[in-house]
Each structure stands twice: as structure tokens, then as C-alpha cells.
Amino acid sequence: MSHSTVPRNRAEAVTTEKAPVAPGRAPGPRRGRPSGKPSLRLRLRRDRVLLLMTLPAVALVLLFNYVPILGNIVAFQDYDPYISDNGVVSMLNSPWVGLENFRRIFDDSDFWNAVTNTLVLFFLQLVLYFPIPILLALLINSVVRPRLRAVSQAILYLPHFFSWVLVIAVFQQLFGGAGLLSQLLRQHGYDGLDIMTDPETFKYLVTAQSVWKDAGWGIIVFLAALAAVPTDLYEAAAMDGADRWRRIWHVTLPALRPVIALLLVLRVGDALTVGFEQILLQRDAVGPGASEVLDTFVWWNGVRNQDFGYAAAAGLIKGVVSLGLVLVANKVAHLMGEQGVYKK
């Protein structure tokens, strides 16, 4: 062998050797499982303990969230639960009416009034309620003393554990006709007022109750996101001359942006659910014209009036619209560069 045909090193020898190409197949990268990625069997064997731990939760979700979806067939029937003691037998033997329940809903002015009240409450809570946990989280995060920060967070979080009955009772004692505010006004020569029975202010009352009860729950999520922000960013911004407000605008809020986008998508998906128990407890005080929402509309027609097919049709419309809102809001989050509920 001549000197010109001998490879100079091992790398050159490897590059000069070519694998044989099968007839009819173009040379290219080798197909198969990506290097370093274990097979499905190995992953199941590796994570079997975690999978077994999640089985009870998955079973509960399937039983209480997905199996009841089969009951939506009632929306296309004149459902009669008294045909049999077995609900499945009653569904199979109830007469089929097709889209008649949906036609009745779209011709019902009470349904559209419930839709209007639901959307008004949603937009009010989105504008007035959603930013408040962010602002409170920023305020608590700026507190230097850890003990004072913990006490403030505990005080704001405590109303989350109150039931709606207790929350409404507290507001009744403060803003009712015989409440503290009305008594103070009478003592100073003014007429008393009863905010709890005023249909014009009911939507603001409901929003205030939601803020007082659940703002502390949202604070926890945003404080956890703030804890993950590197302190080096704040130090670098301070060295560049940024004051406290500029550090919040250019460092804190961009760090909270993914969490805000995720919670906003979930909030939009929950737009048509504005608090069943809270509004039902106050429905009689202000009347259905101001307080009727989709959830109470379904309950009133399905449980009280026993028009189950009609109520199921209204509930099905609500579910489909809510799913569409989640998909649209998630798409908007993707366009903004955020992950949203799920990735692209």
C-alpha cells in the first residue's frame, strides 16, 4: 500500500469508510428510537409507583367528570325520571324530541336574561377581581419583615375558608337594611340604605363578596411565582438606576406574565360559572331579573320545575360555549408567546 492511500489518522479512516446502501434506498440518517430515550415499556416500569399513586385520582375524575357526560342525552329527550327507579332505564325509555329543547331555549327571554347577567358579572369580576390578587401579592412581596408578611398573608387568606352562607351573613350585618352602615347613616340624620336588596347594585355586591372571599387564594399563586424571580435581576435593575416602580414594571410583571396568562385562560373558560351558591342564596332578595345566571337558570328549571330535558339543554350549551372560550383564550396566549393551558 502506498503512502498516499493510508489514512493519516483514525478520524479520517472512519470518514473514508461508507456503510453499504441497500438497493432502492437513498442514503440518509438512520431511523429508529431517538438516542437516550427509553422505550414505553421501560418508562412504565420506571414510573409504576407514581402511576399507581395517581390511579385513585384518575378513577375519581373519570367517575364524577366524564361518566356524567353521557347524561347529556337527556337534552334531546323529554326525560321522565319516574319511568323507572333506575336512571339509565329512564333515559333509554324517555321519548326522543331531538332539538326541540334547544328551540325552546333560544325562544325563551328568561334564558337570554340569564346569559346577559352572567356575562355582565364575568366582565366585572375580570376587571375588578382579577387584578386585585396581583396587586396584593406585589404589596406583600415588598414587605421586608417576614413575620409581618406572614401575618398579612394569613389575614387575607382566611376568608377563603368561610362558606358563602357566612360571607353573605357578614355582608348583611354591614350593608343590610338594619346593618352597621345603615345605622350610622340614621344616627347622623340621613336615610338608611339596604344594598343587599338593591337590584341595581347587586352585580357590584357580588363582585365585592368574591373579592373579599377569594382574593387571598390568588395571592398564594402569584407569591409563588414572585419567589422564583432571581434577585440578580432586581440588583442589576437597581444598579442601572431603576426605581421601585420601574423594577416592578420591567422585572416583576414580565416574570408573572406566564402565570397571569394561564390564570386568565382558566378564568375565561370559567366565564359562564359565576358562583351558583353565592347567587342562589341572594336570588329572592333582589329578584330573578337581576340575579338569574345560567347556573341558577338550570337549577330552577331542572330541579324546581322538573323540566330536566330543558335544563340539560341549557347546561349543554353552557359547556360547549365554555370549551370554545378556553380554546380561543389559549390560542390568544400562544399568539402572545405564552404556553397557556397546553402547548402548541
Side-chain angles (χ1 to χ4, degrees), residues 56-73 91 316 323 341:
V58 172
L60 289 175
V61 170
L62 291 175
L63 181 61
F64 293 104
N65 292 87
Y66 287 94
V67 173
I69 293 178
L70 300 176
N72 285 326
I73 192 177
M91 284 192 296
L316 183 58
L323 177 61
V341 178

Side-chain angles (χ1 to χ4, degrees), residues 23-34:
R25 177 180 298 177
R30 185 177 179 183
R31 298 180 180 180
R33 187 183 304 114

Side-chain angles (χ1 to χ4, degrees), residues 46-332:
R46 179 192 62 190
D47 301 330
R48 61 183 182 275
V49 177
L50 297 176
L51 293 175
L52 290 175
M53 290 175 61
T54 58
L55 278 180
V58 172
L60 289 175
V61 170
L62 291 175
L63 181 61
F64 293 104
N65 292 87
Y66 287 94
V67 173
I69 293 178
L70 300 176
N72 285 326
I73 192 177
V74 174
F76 304 93
Q77 294 178 330
D78 184 12
Y79 179 68
D80 186 2
Y82 304 106
I83 295 178
S84 173
D85 294 335
N86 191 327
V88 177
V89 175
S90 298
M91 284 192 296
L92 294 177
N93 294 324
S94 295
W96 188 268
V97 296
L99 300 177
E100 177 62 23
N101 289 323
F102 295 92
R103 186 191 63 80
R104 291 173 52 200
I105 284 178
F106 290 128
D107 293 338
D108 191 350
S109 60
D110 292 337
F111 171 76
W112 293 112
N113 178 63
V115 171
T116 302
N117 291 336
T118 302
L119 294 178
V120 169
L121 286 175
F122 163 68
F123 283 114
L124 276 177
Q125 293 184 6
L126 185 65
V127 174
L128 300 178
Y129 167 69
F130 189 78
I132 289 180
I134 303 175
L135 298 176
L136 290 176
L138 295 175
L139 181 62
I140 293 177
N141 190 65
S142 63
V143 176
V144 179
R145 296 183 180 180
R147 185 179 296 275
L148 180 59
R149 183 187 308 175
V151 171
S152 303
Q153 184 177 348
I155 294 175
L156 293 172
Y157 184 53
L158 183 62
H160 176 73
F161 296 99
F162 296 165
S163 66
W164 277 116
V165 176
L166 181 57
V167 171
I168 294 172
V170 171
F171 273 74
Q172 179 67 36
Q173 295 299 321
L174 293 176
F175 305 109
L180 180 62
L181 178 60
S182 183
Q183 292 180 11
L184 288 175
L185 290 175
R186 291 192 182 96
Q187 290 175 2
H188 291 81
Y190 298 98
D191 295 334
L193 72 146
D194 189 359
I195 300 177
M196 301 296 294
T197 59
D198 187 1
E200 299 296 329
T201 60
F202 178 74
K203 50 185 176 293
Y204 303 104
L205 174 67
V206 171
T207 304
Q209 293 170 351
S210 300
V211 169
W212 185 72
K213 185 177 187 298
D214 291 327
W217 172 258
I219 290 174
I220 295 178
V221 179
F222 292 109
L223 283 177
L226 288 173
V229 180
T231 57
D232 299 341
L233 298 178
Y234 292 105
E235 295 175 357
M239 293 180 63
D240 291 339
D243 56 11
R244 175 177 297 181
W245 295 108
R246 289 188 175 273
R247 291 197 296 270
I248 292 176
W249 183 260
H250 294 287
V251 178
T252 305
L253 292 181
L256 291 178
R257 183 175 172 179
V259 180
I260 293 174
L262 174 61
L263 294 181
L264 188 59
V265 170
L266 296 176
R267 186 66 181 172
V268 170
D270 206 28
L272 303 183
T273 303
V274 288
F276 168 73
E277 183 181 359
Q278 174 192 10
I279 296 177
L280 184 63
L281 290 170
Q282 305 175 88
R283 186 177 185 272
D284 294 336
V286 296
S291 64
E292 192 80 287
V293 294
L294 284 175
D295 283 343
T296 57
F297 179 83
V298 171
W299 176 84
W300 189 267
N301 288 276
V303 177
R304 293 294 299 270
N305 297 338
Q306 298 188 359
D307 196 350
F308 298 100
Y310 185 75
L316 183 58
I317 293 174
K318 173 193 168 186
V320 172
V321 173
S322 297
L323 177 61
L325 290 175
V326 170
L327 297 177
V328 172
N330 199 72
K331 183 64 176 179
V332 173

